[in-house]
Amino acid sequence: MEFNQESRSFCMPKILLDTVAEQLADVDITLPDYCPDIEKILKCTLVPKIQSRSLSGGQLQIDGYCIVNVLYVESINRTIRCCEQSVNFTQSFTVKDTPDNPVIITKTKSEYINCRALSPRRLVMHGAFSLYAKVFSTACTEIYSPDEKFQLETLRKNVSCADLKSFCQENFTVSEEISVADKPAIETILYSDVKVSITDAKAVTGKLMMNGEINLRMLYLTDVETGVTAKLDYLLPFNQIIDCEGIDENTINCVDCNIMSYDIRLKNDMLSDKPAVVLDVKLCVTEEGYIIFDEEFIADAYSVYYSSKPAFKQMLVTEEVVPISESHMEKTAIKVDDGKISKVIDIYAEYVGAEPVFEDGELSVNGKINLCMLAMNSENMPVFIERFFDYSHKLSTAGECNLLCGAEARAVSISYRLADDNTVEIRCELKITGSALKQEMITAANGVEVFEDLPIKSDGCALTLYFADKGERLWDIAKSHSTRLDMLVNENTTDGSVLSAPQMLLIPRI
């Protein structure tokens, strides 16, 4: 006999694909005629960007391109210049089960880039980046109740349970024409960086109203001849309403926003001597909406009239969901081993890692910060210095959660000062985001086989003596003697469900 289902279930995200592939990028750059020769290479950077993703016929196809940027010192005036080139890529992954409304998460990470100068005007570069791909659907776990026909004894367990009510994703583009009238004129963009953050998200029935900020950082030349540089740090607020079936004012919403690609270009205006910057950012927003409720599971069951055999299954239950957004301040220093620093041009974090760690009952995030510094030495020669620093942050809002999903860390601000001629002290503020979960694997009964042709025979005694040991459970004693738990408790003086000392028990018979 199987349990009768009462249309009770809870849903969770189900991973259909979780993989990573290495993408190679080989570039051969020859400087245009108007660029002076290369005297010294400062920094080579590989920036992957995703243009499109499609899942059809069991194949996930990802198309994009990567920008290879070379920052160098030119040989005539020893000023900073740059050159760059793009390389297209396409990657396919096989997905065994293709859901109707898949959620696709793709991320990239630059692994390395090697640069070799064949001549003062020609560079050969070889690099690689990792392309991470995940595909999710929704899986529902059924919860069963016993058939009252056989009057089964049941051991019930109450558990807080998170039910995934909404799982949606939307891509959209934010475009802005940024006036730089109050800044020095832009001749050439040396390098740029774009970050995104969600500042507020509010749910109404079927819709998510979201506010966020896009931060554009850019280093550029104001005069090609003199090599004078300037920085642009611009915050672009945006808002977006996305359709999310299943969410309302009561759902706990975990929102993740990632940059797929961005494009920056100068817009020259004949009536103005200062061109505007046109920024196009393609964003991907993923939302998970949960409702927490108390659910009753059947931990064990048996019949007091017939021989019976329960069946069990392991069930992963999410008991708590907490959206995480915390700040972390890391102090460090960059020391130049040889030479002196006369001027700091720019300091930025090229990459910030985030690795969740659950230890001693606490959830933390550990990672590395890749700090880059562009400066001038005592001989007025541009230098580039790169350092890696470890950080560790203990999450204060995670409560009893034991898992952090979608962990991200980004540098929101960096301040610095010259401590001496060859040391720069740095304060780096990180923003750590993700979704903290408290998950537990429980064993629940999902069926009981009752053998009606094997009734439990009575020995004619109303009570039986049983000498129980310390630590035995009353449920196990009642089950082994095919009696009811409430009758066993009523016949004996016991406190709790587990015996704290050896005890003689009276076992009632049905």
Side-chain angles (χ1 to χ4, degrees), residues 56 71 78 154 159 177 196 199 232 250 373 409 442 502:
S56 177
L71 204 64
R78 289 189 169 183
T154 56
V159 178
E177 185 176 307
V196 64
T199 56
L232 175 67
N250 299 316
M373 181 174 72
I442 68 172

Side-chain angles (χ1 to χ4, degrees), residues 203-246:
V204 296
T205 303
K207 294 187 181 297
L208 181 70
M209 298 180 292
M210 184 179 63
N211 297 320
E213 289 180 341
I214 295 173
N215 181 207
L216 167 64
R217 290 187 71 259
M218 193 169 71
L219 181 70
Y220 61 92
L221 288 176
T222 65
D223 190 314
V224 175
E225 296 298 326
T226 63
V228 177
T229 62
K231 291 186 291 186
L232 175 67
D233 198 335
Y234 185 82
L235 275 179
L236 170 61
F238 69 91
N239 56 75
Q240 185 77 10
I241 299 177
I242 62 177
D243 294 326
C244 296
E245 182 181 353

Side-chain angles (χ1 to χ4, degrees), residues 394-507:
K394 194 171 293 183
L395 296 176
S396 60
T397 58
E400 296 181 354
C401 295
N402 52 18
L403 179 68
L404 183 64
C405 298
E408 294 280 351
R410 62 183 182 88
V412 295
S413 68
I414 297 177
S415 59
Y416 59 89
R417 73 177 188 92
L418 276 170
D420 52 48
D421 289 343
N422 62 353
T423 305
V424 180
E425 293 181 347
I426 298 172
R427 289 169 56 92
C428 180
E429 182 185 358
L430 303 180
K431 178 67 73 174
I432 298 171
T433 57
S435 302
L437 310 177
K438 181 184 178 182
Q439 290 191 333
E440 180 186 0
M441 188 68 74
I442 68 172
T443 300
N446 67 333
V448 175
E449 188 176 2
V450 178
F451 304 97
E452 296 181 76
D453 57 339
L454 295 175
I456 296 175
K457 297 180 180 179
S458 174
D459 57 6
C461 299
L463 294 172
T464 302
L465 289 177
Y466 175 72
F467 294 92
D469 292 329
K470 175 183 177 181
E472 285 196 66
R473 295 195 312 166
L474 293 179
W475 169 265
D476 295 332
I477 297 172
K479 182 179 180 180
S480 64
H481 289 84
S482 301
T483 190
R484 296 189 184 281
L485 178 62
D486 57 349
M487 294 176 61
L488 175 64
V489 172
N490 291 336
E491 287 290 344
N492 299 274
T493 303
T494 58
D495 293 325
S497 60
V498 180
L499 296 179
S500 58
Q503 186 175 345
M504 184 183 71
L505 299 177
L506 296 175
I507 308 296

Side-chain angles (χ1 to χ4, degrees), residues 302-318:
Y302 64 91
S303 171
V304 297
Y305 299 106
Y306 305 98
S307 295
S308 58
K309 181 181 179 182
F312 301 94
K313 68 176 179 179
Q314 296 291 312
M315 300 171 60
L316 182 64
V317 177
T318 300

Side-chain angles (χ1 to χ4, degrees), residues 128-262:
F129 65 93
S130 295
L131 176 61
Y132 298 86
K134 284 187 177 183
V135 177
F136 293 88
S137 66
T138 302
C140 291
T141 301
E142 296 177 339
I143 306 170
Y144 297 93
S145 296
D147 194 323
E148 296 181 358
K149 170 185 174 181
F150 292 94
Q151 300 179 6
L152 297 177
E153 282 288 286
T154 56
L155 178 63
R156 300 172 184 262
K157 182 179 181 181
N158 290 315
V159 178
S160 293
C161 185
D163 187 14
L164 182 64
K165 293 295 185 182
S166 173
F167 199 18
C168 63
Q169 190 173 67
E170 185 171 309
N171 298 333
F172 60 94
T173 301
V174 177
S175 300
E176 180 80 357
E177 185 176 307
I178 303 170
S179 173
V180 290
D182 59 336
K183 294 283 185 180
I186 300 175
E187 288 285 343
T188 302
I189 298 174
L190 295 175
Y191 59 76
S192 60
D193 182 47
V194 175
K195 294 289 191 297
V196 64
S197 63
I198 301 301
T199 56
D200 182 54
K202 182 180 179 181
V204 296
T205 303
K207 294 187 181 297
L208 181 70
M209 298 180 292
M210 184 179 63
N211 297 320
E213 289 180 341
I214 295 173
N215 181 207
L216 167 64
R217 290 187 71 259
M218 193 169 71
L219 181 70
Y220 61 92
L221 288 176
T222 65
D223 190 314
V224 175
E225 296 298 326
T226 63
V228 177
T229 62
K231 291 186 291 186
L232 175 67
D233 198 335
Y234 185 82
L235 275 179
L236 170 61
F238 69 91
N239 56 75
Q240 185 77 10
I241 299 177
I242 62 177
D243 294 326
C244 296
E245 182 181 353
I247 68 170
D248 56 29
E249 294 83 354
N250 299 316
T251 51
I252 301 173
N253 300 300
C254 300
V255 183
D256 183 36
C257 186
N258 288 312
I259 295 175
M260 294 180 63
S261 63
Y262 66 88

